[in-house]
């Protein structure tokens, strides 16, 4: 699986992005990259951040490695660590899993171009865009301000890459995280409720009504319809915000690391 | 058919109303379908005016739902109820939001306490507080956590004290105005207890009251000048206080001094252990105190909710505080001044014979822990403990869960303080089997004066 590269999404995205130079020894399948993304989120984000640029002089999200260059060296570094640094050896990560992390690191470097082309953002200005022109608080919550209808963004900067935030702002339907899908139910007497799915079992469903933000529990036998909403309810900001405003907004969202555990 | 469907939908659809404002908590008694604080009301009475369940129909109650906790710990929490949603704690520190009609879970907030947490007497929690849309939980690793009541998402999480030093919290916080008040446990590990208030929005500490006064503060002289016993003299808080909005005083019961069963190195009354303290809710400043058990050596924590009652007392309207203490005595105090009005045993007591005019217990000579053991009534669990009393304004009766005819053999042992280690100084040994009974006190029957034990419901010994 590791050695045999079948077809690379990375290659396609490289072309689309205008051929970003990366030194990958392998081409990777999209499933390897996705597996690596999950491994990275579970093992690496805490120190390196979602964009891989949290550690000084080790911008691993943009292919800037100080102590390794080949994929094999990176796998060894992940598993053995770097002596006398905070980078501990992570031998709990199996070699195949470490390889998927390398696959993801290579793909990060390749796809970072979309935001690299944006002007430098300003988080303070981005906050103003979030709260006024963007109207983001109508659906999103940060800390104890804003609506609970959409995903809570208090820690979004610790969870999502800048490129992912950029894509969500431009193409909200491109990727909807399963947990963030809205659910729509229609009761037998015709009432329609859209909200965030909190829990369900064989007989009942619990949700947060997006409209009045109340917690509601229903017996499924009293429902006529019960399904996820395919499309995002978020508008595209492609033509709503200037390039600078988009960059500011992304800077602001990237700065939101949250506090509480 | 349509009507039936609508009805069913109404029944199954529970809803959360956002604002549990301070004003709403002040008037909690006006919405008996809800339970907005640990004790249901600021006065600590735990009285419900709901009338659907009666002595006649209680036998017809049937099981409606079961919530299966993912925990093997005990439930000691009193749930918060707001508009059909029940919030409770799955011990030690997971918050669960349930649909009260069906028991179905909306969300769970999972919190794993630090390994250092070593709470004496169980990894338990007594419940939550709510203000606005925010829930507050005190944890066994001595942190205070604010969680969004609708999504279960944590908002802030602050350290109250160091679990490595033996601090823990099992108390349900008390919200007063814009502050969240908690107290620390850990009296069996040599802590110096305190009560502290935190800003509900930010978690920033607003005030702190040490339950053992420091050098230069009134009450410090009740600890030896020759050693530093006061620095790890215990005086925990285990159970939530109450609040009088007119006096703006919040009342808290304080636990035993440490070492629990050996007072040799802590000569003096050991304030404010085994006391009730009345604090200004805005500043934490002490207004008055009353000590139920000076220089306690029997683990007689004042770990009870102060019950506040406004009624006639010997011919005049008074603001009273009723208290059935772990030490076996039932008390009536004036809660504006702390004046001692009455003290009577509600179970068998052999460590004190009565009280002087100011309410200081008159000790019976020889009744202290000893190397060979001394038989004391009530025993180490006390005449009652943390299980809450209640008061009915309808009957005028005070209800106490009690341990009857119950003693322990108190054996004293030497102990040295080591940070975070057990600091008991002895062993209370069980003696006779005991039963549990509920004692009902008619504390203020005007025509006959005080009549204890209007009724007693005894559960046979097991």
């Amino acid at each position: 699986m590791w050695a045999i590269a079948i077809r690379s999404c990375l290659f396609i995205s490289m072309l689309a992005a205008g051929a970003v130079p990366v030194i990958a020894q392998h081409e990777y399948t999209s499933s390897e990259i996705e597996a690596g993304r999950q491994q990275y989120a579970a093992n690496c984000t805490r120190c390196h951040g979602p964009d891989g640029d949290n550690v000084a002089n080790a911008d691993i999200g943009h292919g800037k490695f100080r102590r390794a260059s080949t994929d094999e060296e990176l796998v060894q570094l992940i598993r053995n660590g770097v002596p006398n640094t905070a980078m501990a050896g992570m031998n709990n990560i199996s070699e195949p899993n470490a390889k998927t992390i390398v696959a993801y690191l290579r793909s990060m470097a390749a796809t970072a171009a979309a935001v690299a082309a944006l002007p430098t953002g300003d988080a303070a200005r981005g906050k103003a865009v979030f709260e006024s022109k963007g109207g983001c608080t109508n659906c999103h919550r940060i800390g104890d301000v804003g609506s609970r209808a959409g995903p809570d963004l208090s820690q979004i900067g610790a969870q999502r890459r800048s490129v992912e935030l950029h894509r969500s702002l431009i193409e909200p339907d491109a990727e909807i995280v399963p947990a963030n899908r809205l659910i729509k139910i229609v009761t037998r007497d015709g009432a329609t409720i859209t909200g965030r799915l909190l829990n369900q079992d064989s007989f009942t469903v619990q949700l947060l009504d997006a409209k009045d933000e109340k917690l509601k529990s229903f017996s499924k036998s009293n429902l006529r319809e019960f399904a996820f909403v395919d499309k995002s309810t978020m508008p595209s900001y492609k033509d709503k915000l200037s390039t600078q405003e988009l960059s500011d907004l992304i800077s602001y969202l990237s700065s939101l690391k949250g506090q509480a555990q | 058919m349509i009507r039936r469907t609508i009805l069913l939908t109404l029944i199954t659809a529970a809803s959360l109303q956002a604002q549990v404002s301070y004003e709403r908590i002040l008037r909690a008694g006006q919405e008996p379908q809800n339970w907005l604080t640990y004790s249901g009301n600021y006065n600590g009475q735990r009285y419900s005016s709901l009338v659907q369940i009666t002595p006649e129909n209680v036998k017809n109650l049937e099981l409606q739902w079961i919530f299966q906790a993912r925990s093997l710990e005990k439930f000691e929490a009193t749930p918060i109820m707001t508009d059909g949603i029940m919030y409770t704690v799955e011990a030690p520190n997971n918050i669960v939001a349930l649909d009260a009609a069906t028991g179905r879970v909306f969300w769970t907030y999972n919190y794993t306490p630090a390994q250092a947490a070593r709470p004496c007497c169980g990894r338990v929690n007594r419940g939550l507080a709510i203000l606005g849309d925010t829930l507050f939980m005190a944890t066994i690793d001595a942190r205070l956590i604010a969680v969004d009541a609708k999504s279960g998402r944590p908002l802030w999480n602050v350290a109250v004290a160091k679990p490595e030093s033996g601090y823990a919290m099992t108390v349900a916080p008390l919200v007063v105005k814009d502050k969240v008040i908690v107290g620390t446990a850990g009296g069996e590990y040599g802590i110096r207890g305190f009560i502290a208030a935190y800003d509900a929005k930010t978690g920033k500490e607003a005030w702190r009251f040490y339950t053992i006064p420091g050098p230069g503060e009134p009450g410090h002289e009740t600890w030896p000048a020759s050693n530093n016993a006061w620095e790890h003299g215990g005086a925990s808080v285990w159970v939530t206080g109450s609040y009088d909005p007119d006096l703006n005083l919040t009342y808290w019961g304080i636990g035993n001094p440490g070492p629990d069963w050996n007072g040799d190195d802590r000569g003096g009354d050991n304030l404010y252990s085994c006391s009730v303290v009345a604090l200004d809710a805005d500043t934490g400043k002490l207004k008055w105190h009353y000590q139920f058990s000076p220089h306690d050596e029997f683990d007689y924590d004042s770990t009870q909710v102060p019950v506040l009652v406004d009624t006639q007392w010997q011919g005049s309207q008074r603001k009273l505080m009723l208290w059935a203490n772990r030490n076996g005595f039932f008390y009536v105090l004036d809660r504006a001044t702390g004046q001692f009005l009455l003290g009577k045993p509600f179970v068998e007591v052999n460590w004190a014979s009565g009280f002087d005019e100011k309410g200081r217990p008159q000790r019976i000579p020889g009744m202290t822990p000893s190397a060979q053991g001394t038989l004391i009534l009530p025993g180490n669990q006390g005449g009652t403990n943390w299980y809450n009393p209640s008061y009915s304004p309808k009957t005028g009766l005070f209800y106490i869960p009690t341990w009857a005819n119950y003693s322990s053999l108190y054996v004293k042992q030497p102990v040295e303080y080591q940070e975070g280690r057990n600091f008991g100084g002895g062993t209370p040994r069980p003696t006779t089997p005991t039963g549990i009974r509920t004692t009902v006190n008619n504390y203020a029957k005007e025509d006959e004066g005080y009549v204890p034990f209007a009724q007693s419901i005894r559960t046979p010994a097991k």
Side-chain angles (χ1 to χ4, degrees):
Chain A
M1 282 281 280
W2 157 252
I4 306 163
I6 304 166
R7 192 165 61 89
S8 174
C9 284
L10 171 60
F11 183 64
I12 295 165
S13 52
M14 276 172 70
L15 289 177
V20 177
V22 285
I23 317 163
Q25 273 92 52
H26 304 273
E27 290 180 351
Y28 300 102
T29 63
S30 56
S31 59
E32 282 171 333
I33 294 169
E34 175 54 28
R37 191 170 76 88
Q38 292 174 19
Q39 287 290 324
Y40 182 89
N43 297 295
C44 315
T45 306
R46 196 169 161 187
C47 296
H48 287 282
D51 273 319
D53 57 357
N54 265 14
V55 178
N57 300 323
D59 188 357
I60 62 170
H62 297 83
K64 294 174 185 166
F65 307 106
R66 277 190 295 165
R67 293 184 170 84
S69 56
T70 68
D71 291 5
E72 283 70 25
E73 285 168 350
L74 284 168
V75 167
Q76 293 312 310
L77 192 148
I78 290 167
R79 301 193 72 229
N80 298 332
V82 180
N84 305 318
T85 70
M87 176 72 197
M90 307 187 77
N91 52 18
N92 60 319
I93 302 176
S94 70
E95 192 160 314
N97 282 345
K99 285 175 178 173
T100 66
I101 293 175
V102 175
Y104 180 60
L105 290 174
R106 298 300 190 194
S107 107
M108 283 172 86
T111 54
V115 286
L118 290 174
T120 306
D122 179 276
R125 285 203 307 260
K127 186 171 191 285
V129 173
F130 187 88
E131 289 167 356
S132 55
K133 187 175 177 184
C136 309
T137 51
N138 292 335
C139 296
H140 293 285
R141 193 170 179 87
I142 293 172
D144 58 0
V145 177
S147 163
R148 295 174 179 86
D152 187 291
L153 301 179
S154 304
Q155 294 180 293
I156 196 71
Q159 294 160 346
R160 306 289 277 167
R161 298 173 60 202
S162 308
V163 284
E164 292 165 335
L165 296 171
H166 182 250
R167 190 172 60 164
S168 290
L169 285 161
I170 302 297
E171 301 175 75
D173 284 329
E175 185 197 4
I176 302 174
V177 175
N180 289 337
R181 289 175 297 176
L182 289 176
I183 196 153
K184 180 184 159 193
I185 62 167
V186 181
T187 62
R188 284 201 176 173
D189 57 329
T192 301
I193 295 158
T194 306
R196 294 178 67 78
L197 179 67
L198 297 174
N199 196 13
Q200 64 169 321
D201 56 30
S202 303
F203 308 105
T204 68
V205 56
Q206 289 74 42
L207 52 85
L208 185 147
D209 188 332
K211 205 170 175 185
D212 58 15
E213 294 189 24
K214 290 182 177 175
L215 298 179
K216 296 179 179 175
S217 180
F218 296 91
S219 173
K220 285 180 178 171
S221 61
N222 291 329
L223 302 181
R224 194 193 293 161
E225 282 180 42
F226 170 64
F228 284 110
V229 180
D230 292 334
K231 296 274 181 188
S232 171
T233 52
M234 178 164 147
S236 168
Y237 283 87
K238 192 176 178 187
D239 302 318
K240 287 186 165 58
L241 297 177
S242 70
T243 313
Q244 183 63 55
E245 286 168 334
L246 269 176
S247 183
D248 293 342
L249 189 51
I250 292 166
S251 291
Y252 172 56
L253 294 172
S254 296
S255 75
L256 300 172
K257 312 286 189 190
Q259 293 175 346
Q261 297 297 308
Chain B
M1 187 66 185
I2 291 172
R3 280 184 62 190
R4 191 175 160 218
T5 308
I6 293 170
L7 185 66
L8 279 170
T9 309
L10 283 173
I11 289 169
T12 50
S15 62
L16 173 71
Q17 234 173 34
Q19 298 302 318
V20 181
S21 63
Y22 170 61
E23 288 68 30
R24 207 175 143 191
I25 301 172
L26 276 175
R27 296 189 297 271
Q30 293 175 13
E31 40 182 308
Q33 73 279 18
N34 291 318
W35 195 266
L36 302 180
T37 70
Y38 176 68
S39 297
N41 214 326
Y42 275 137
N43 59 24
Q45 292 183 7
R46 282 190 176 252
Y47 175 77
S48 170
S49 58
L50 296 177
V51 293
Q52 197 179 10
I53 300 170
T54 66
E56 289 69 39
N57 69 17
V58 66
K59 66 179 186 295
N60 301 327
L61 286 178
E62 288 181 12
L63 179 69
Q64 286 298 298
W65 53 259
I66 291 173
F67 165 67
Q68 181 63 60
R70 292 181 180 181
S71 160
L72 297 176
E73 306 291 346
K74 289 176 286 183
F75 270 97
E76 291 192 2
T78 298
I80 296 281
M81 272 289 303
T82 59
D83 309 302
I85 313 293
M86 175 186 281
Y87 297 103
T88 192
V89 178
E90 182 184 80
N93 289 131
N94 295 336
I95 304 177
V96 189
L98 297 163
D99 176 20
T102 64
R104 297 308 207 277
V105 175
F106 285 110
W107 53 258
T108 303
Y109 167 70
N110 291 301
Y111 179 73
T112 305
Q115 293 275 333
R118 277 189 297 271
C120 159
C121 324
R123 293 168 67 84
V124 297
N125 178 282
R126 305 222 161 76
L128 306 160
I130 190 167
L131 180 66
D133 284 330
T134 307
L135 297 163
F136 305 94
M137 171 173 66
T139 68
I140 59 165
D141 59 352
R143 301 189 73 90
L144 179 61
I145 303 178
V147 171
D148 185 282
K150 289 184 173 174
S151 66
R153 200 177 60 75
L155 296 171
W156 51 258
N157 175 336
V158 296
V160 171
K162 276 171 61 185
E164 295 82 4
S165 302
Y167 284 93
M169 290 199 291
T170 58
V171 67
L174 180 73
V175 163
V176 175
K177 300 176 190 174
D178 59 351
K179 295 183 180 68
V180 188
I181 308 174
V182 293
T184 57
E188 280 62 45
Y189 294 90
I191 63 155
R192 181 189 177 202
F194 61 87
I195 299 166
Y198 295 82
D199 183 281
K201 279 266 177 211
T202 63
K204 194 177 170 218
E205 185 176 308
W207 53 254
R208 180 181 289 209
F209 171 79
Y210 277 101
T211 53
I212 298 177
E217 293 177 317
H220 187 68
E221 72 285 353
T222 63
W223 295 83
S226 56
N227 64 26
N228 63 348
W230 65 275
E231 284 185 312
H232 22 84
S236 306
V237 173
W238 292 100
V239 172
T240 312
S242 45
Y243 174 61
D244 182 327
D246 296 331
L247 299 170
N248 196 34
L249 292 177
T250 183
Y251 306 97
W252 293 74
I254 311 299
N256 61 278
D260 297 38
W261 303 289
N262 183 344
D264 290 354
D265 286 339
R266 51 172 174 83
D269 283 355
N270 306 143
L271 288 175
Y272 298 98
S273 68
C274 300
S275 302
V276 51
V277 293
L279 308 177
D280 182 299
D282 298 330
T283 64
K285 217 174 155 195
L286 182 74
K287 176 81 184 292
W288 58 259
H289 77 276
Y290 171 76
Q291 191 173 37
F292 299 101
S293 308
H295 192 74
D296 166 60
E297 291 179 292
F298 307 124
D299 200 5
Y300 287 158
D301 297 273
S302 294
T303 180
Q304 293 81 37
V305 174
V307 178
L308 316 184
V309 172
D310 294 346
T311 191
Q312 291 278 313
W313 176 258
Q314 295 176 344
S316 58
Q317 185 73 13
R318 295 287 280 268
K319 277 176 165 290
L320 301 179
M321 176 184 290
L322 311 184
W323 199 303
N325 197 277
R326 188 165 167 173
N327 70 12
F329 285 96
F330 172 74
Y331 296 82
V332 180
L333 305 177
D334 180 314
R335 73 173 184 270
T337 62
Q339 185 192 351
F340 171 85
L341 300 176
L342 180 141
K344 292 265 185 181
F346 62 91
V347 289
E348 300 79 355
V349 168
N350 73 350
W351 64 275
S353 56
F355 297 86
D356 70 14
E357 268 182 17
K358 290 189 170 175
R360 186 181 179 84
Q362 290 160 326
R363 296 293 297 263
I364 295 171
M367 289 303 179
T368 57
S370 56
Q372 70 278 12
T374 310
L375 191 83
I376 301 289
L377 294 112
N380 199 65
Q381 292 296 327
T384 185
N385 204 301
W386 65 269
Y387 354 100
N388 313 110
S390 62
Y391 171 80
S392 166
K394 208 166 158 187
T395 63
L397 296 176
F398 187 76
Y399 303 78
I400 321 162
T402 61
W403 293 80
N405 187 26
Y406 164 57
S407 60
S408 291
L409 194 67
Y410 284 86
V411 179
K412 179 160 76 175
Q413 289 157 348
V415 64
E416 270 188 35
Y417 173 75
Q418 283 180 284
E419 186 179 11
R421 304 293 291 272
N422 185 283
F423 196 46
T427 316
R429 293 184 184 150
T431 53
T432 52
T434 55
I436 298 174
R437 71 183 179 191
T438 300
T439 299
V440 183
N441 267 9
N442 186 344
Y443 70 95
K445 200 170 175 184
E446 271 192 279
D447 51 346
E448 298 170 27
Y450 169 69
V451 181
F453 315 143
Q455 280 179 344
S456 236
I457 306 153
R458 185 182 283 266
T459 307
K462 284 182 182 171

